Every structure is written in structure tokens, then in C-alpha cells.
Amino acid sequence: MFKTFLLLIVISIPLSTYAEEAFFCKECTSPENAKSIAKLKYAPKLQCNSSDPFSPPTPDDAICGSVARNIILVNPETKNIYSYRVGHSNQAPRYPVMAWDRTLSNQDISGYSMVAEYLATYENGIQIATSNAYISKSNTSYIASRSGTTTCPTDTALSTLVNPNEMSNLEDLMTLSIMFGMETSPGYGVMDKLESSSISNTGAGITINRINYNVAWSDTTKKPIITWPFANSEELSSIKDYLLFNIENLARDHNNVPILKFSLSDESRVAGVKLSHLRGKHGPLTITNPCVLDRLEELNGTGQFRNAGGIEVQFNGSTTPAGGSIETCTWYFYQSGRLLYIFNSAGSGCS
């Protein structure tokens, strides 16, 4: 005969002792829909044990149950909040997943709504920042390549990537642009309500520390990213170049400026190719464009080029030293001991 213990657990442990877990749920559009999602995605694991501690459980002699979870689902668009206690029924042999309605206090509803409002304001700030970025980068200027064979655009994703100062400036620009975008967002009033709070969004979710509310990312509401577009590129392509960053909002400084952590994604696109390809995802790229080669030559000042034998060599971009013999070289660029880029090009002195 089947034996169960779920109801004993539910009855013997007061509801308040269960920890609450909150998740963003963009697809939660009604109480019925949200309840189905809670059961489908957030049910606890059903565990079965034998009444005999020395024997595995069998269909005729099993004790099954789970520890219920208090799940809160927050729709970041409608700001609606849904709350359920999710566990398993005691109906053997299937023990179906159940979701019982929970009532949140007005304070809790307000707190989670503020988290949703903050996310909407933050995402709107990012959208405004990237829109302004494309407008500001519509002008084009050129310089001659080192080989003298062509002219090269100056303000590109690759020229920014290889220059530490430009990358630092870009992070500052993105921070201020996002802050400006948030300040012009319709929901910015939530920031006044949270003036004395420490707000952060990380890989786990969004946390408002003073009022102690946290909502985790989900399949449909992921950690925000920013795509910084570039109108110019060294290589003609039907797809525009961009630098893609994962963003974590760690806190705000004493001037209310967000402290943002930017992590460059390998899905960025520079000089007409994904950054992951320049890193050797499919093997070394063969590069012949003199503008691209000249930009990569600037890396000599921030790391070391090595040949296939691991010996440090000088990479000369699109130029070939006088008297040098031309050969096809595979270049490996290292920075702080880490291999960043690998590519092939015509050159000399790489053997």
C-alpha cells in the first residue's frame, strides 16, 4: 500500500516558515495562467523513500512527498503580482502537482510592484541610450592605412575595442546615457520612492535592499544587455558592427549615478565578424583588409603577439618591413597571459 506524508508536512509547518521565491513572469497574464506556470516551472521535486530504510522504494511500499515552495510571479509589463504555494497532492500513485493561492500583504504587493517598475525604467533607459548612440555615430571620418593602399574609418567597433582608453570612455558614456534615459522615462518616479534604497541587478535578479525584495530572472525576462551600435566599419557588411555588453547594476554612488558593471560579449560584431570568430571559434580567420590589420597592430601596446611556437613576435599590421620575405602567418595575441585573438595574414618574421 502507498504511504504519503505531504499533508503532514504542510500541516505541521506554519506557512510563514516557508521562504518566498519571486520570479519575473512576462507570460503571466491572468491568475489561471500564472497558476499553470507556477505548477509547470516551479514545482518542488517529488521524493520517494521506502518504509524500510535498507530497501529501495517500490510501488507497493513507498513514502512520497515534497516540501512546498512559496512562489511569487511578477509580470514586469503589467506589474501584476501572483502568489502560490506549490507542492504535490497526496493522491497516489501520481501525486499531481498542486498550486494553492496565497494572499500577499499590501506592503508586499507594493514592494514587488516597485521592483517591476524599476526594471521597466531601467530597460527604457537602455533603449533610449542605444537610440541616441546610433544618432551620434552617424558622421564618418577617414585616415590613410599604414600601407597607403586605402583609407580607413576612424570611429568603429574595432578601433574602440583595441584602445583601452576608448573602452573606458565608452563605459562612462553608456553609464551616463542610461542614467539620462532612466531620468526621462515615464516610470522614473519609482526612483524617488527608493531614494534611500540600495538597488542592484545582477546575474540572479533585481534586489531592493532597504525593503528587502528580490525578483529573479526567468526564461522570458533575462538580465538586461546593451548593444552599442557603430555606423562605420573597416569591412563592408550587410550587418552593422556593434559592441554587446551584459550589464549588472551594482548600486548608486553619492551623486545617484548608477554603478554599472559591463561585461563584453563574444557575440559583439567588429570589422564585419563576430568577436567569437576573431577569438578562433571556428579556427583562425584569414584577414587581408589593411584597415583591419592596422587596427589589430595597435594591440602591440596592450599585450604580446606570438607565433605558433609560442615565441613573442612583432605584428606590423598592413606593412611589411623592408627586406622581409612575405609568408602566411598565424598570429596569436595574448593579454595578461590569456589568448584573446587568433588570425592569419600575410606578413614576415612570424616563423
Side-chain angles (χ1 to χ4, degrees):
M1 173 182 288
F2 281 93
K3 300 178 182 178
T4 62
F5 70 92
L6 175 63
L7 289 184
L8 292 177
I9 291 178
V10 172
I11 294 172
S12 63
I13 301 177
L15 183 62
S16 60
T17 63
Y18 289 96
E20 291 184 340
E21 303 171 75
F23 302 88
F24 287 113
C25 183
K26 190 177 296 184
E27 65 272 35
C28 290
T29 55
S30 69
E32 295 76 17
N33 168 254
K35 180 176 289 189
S36 297
I37 292 171
K39 292 164 60 176
L40 178 65
K41 292 187 176 182
Y42 301 108
K45 182 179 180 180
L46 181 67
Q47 297 181 333
C48 294
N49 297 288
S50 172
S51 59
D52 182 352
F54 301 101
S55 301
T58 66
D60 294 325
D61 184 19
I63 301 174
C64 298
S66 63
V67 177
R69 301 172 68 187
N70 284 341
I71 300 298
I72 297 170
L73 300 176
V74 180
N75 188 313
E77 296 180 344
T78 65
K79 316 301 185 297
N80 288 332
I81 316 298
Y82 308 94
S83 181
Y84 308 98
R85 181 159 52 91
V86 186
H88 290 86
S89 166
N90 65 335
Q91 297 176 2
R94 296 181 60 188
Y95 301 98
V97 176
M98 303 291 290
W100 297 273
D101 292 337
R102 294 180 66 244
T103 300
L104 295 176
S105 67
N106 290 335
Q107 180 179 342
D108 285 343
I109 292 173
S110 176
Y112 286 115
S113 296
M114 280 194 285
V115 174
E117 190 66 53
Y118 168 77
L119 176 60
T121 301
Y122 184 54
E123 289 184 330
N124 193 58
I126 293 174
Q127 183 178 2
I128 292 174
T130 53
S131 298
N132 292 338
Y134 191 80
I135 294 173
S136 67
K137 290 184 175 294
S138 60
N139 296 325
T140 305
S141 59
Y142 294 88
I143 59 172
S145 65
R146 293 185 59 191
S147 61
T149 58
T150 188
T151 56
C152 307
T154 57
D155 186 8
T156 67
L158 183 58
S159 69
T160 302
L161 178 67
V162 301
N163 188 319
N165 290 336
E166 289 297 322
M167 286 294 286
S168 179
N169 292 339
L170 176 59
E171 289 194 10
D172 287 345
L173 176 60
M174 289 190 295
T175 297
L176 294 175
S177 298
I178 291 172
M179 182 180 71
F180 172 77
M182 291 178 66
E183 290 175 346
T184 56
S185 298
Y188 189 71
V190 71
M191 302 303 294
D192 294 331
K193 298 178 184 178
L194 301 171
E195 184 176 359
S196 60
S197 299
S198 174
I199 309 172
S200 64
N201 72 274
T202 63
I206 292 181
T207 299
I208 302 179
N209 293 321
R210 180 176 63 85
I211 54 178
N212 198 30
Y213 289 100
N214 172 270
V215 182
W217 307 121
S218 65
D219 294 340
T220 56
T221 306
K222 301 182 184 296
K223 182 173 65 173
I225 60 173
I226 184 168
T227 305
W228 199 261
F230 289 81
N232 309 318
S233 177
E234 293 82 3
E235 192 73 60
L236 292 178
S237 172
S238 57
I239 304 176
K240 292 290 187 180
D241 285 354
Y242 53 83
L243 293 179
L244 175 65
F245 296 88
N246 293 302
I247 318 174
E248 294 189 9
N249 187 352
L250 305 179
R252 291 180 290 172
D253 68 13
H254 62 284
N255 290 320
N256 216 29
V257 177
I259 301 173
L260 304 180
K261 176 183 177 182
F262 296 97
S263 301
L264 182 67
S265 170
D266 281 358
E267 299 308 306
S268 299
R269 189 174 181 87
V270 298
V273 298
K274 283 191 174 183
L275 185 58
S276 59
H277 298 174
L278 187 57
R279 296 196 193 280
K281 178 179 179 180
H282 302 299
L285 294 175
T286 297
I287 300 176
T288 59
N289 185 314
C291 296
V292 177
L293 294 173
D294 284 352
R295 288 302 182 195
L296 294 173
E297 189 271 339
E298 295 179 29
L299 292 170
N300 281 302
T302 61
Q304 304 83 37
F305 281 95
R306 300 178 189 174
N307 61 18
I311 299 173
E312 185 174 345
V313 291
Q314 180 71 22
F315 177 61
N316 295 300
S318 64
T319 61
T320 302
S325 59
I326 303 299
E327 56 185 320
T328 299
C329 300
T330 300
W331 308 92
Y332 301 80
F333 176 73
Y334 287 82
Q335 191 175 77
S336 301
R338 176 190 172 201
L339 177 62
L340 287 187
Y341 312 120
I342 174 175
F343 58 94
N344 298 326
S345 74
S348 64
C350 59
S351 299

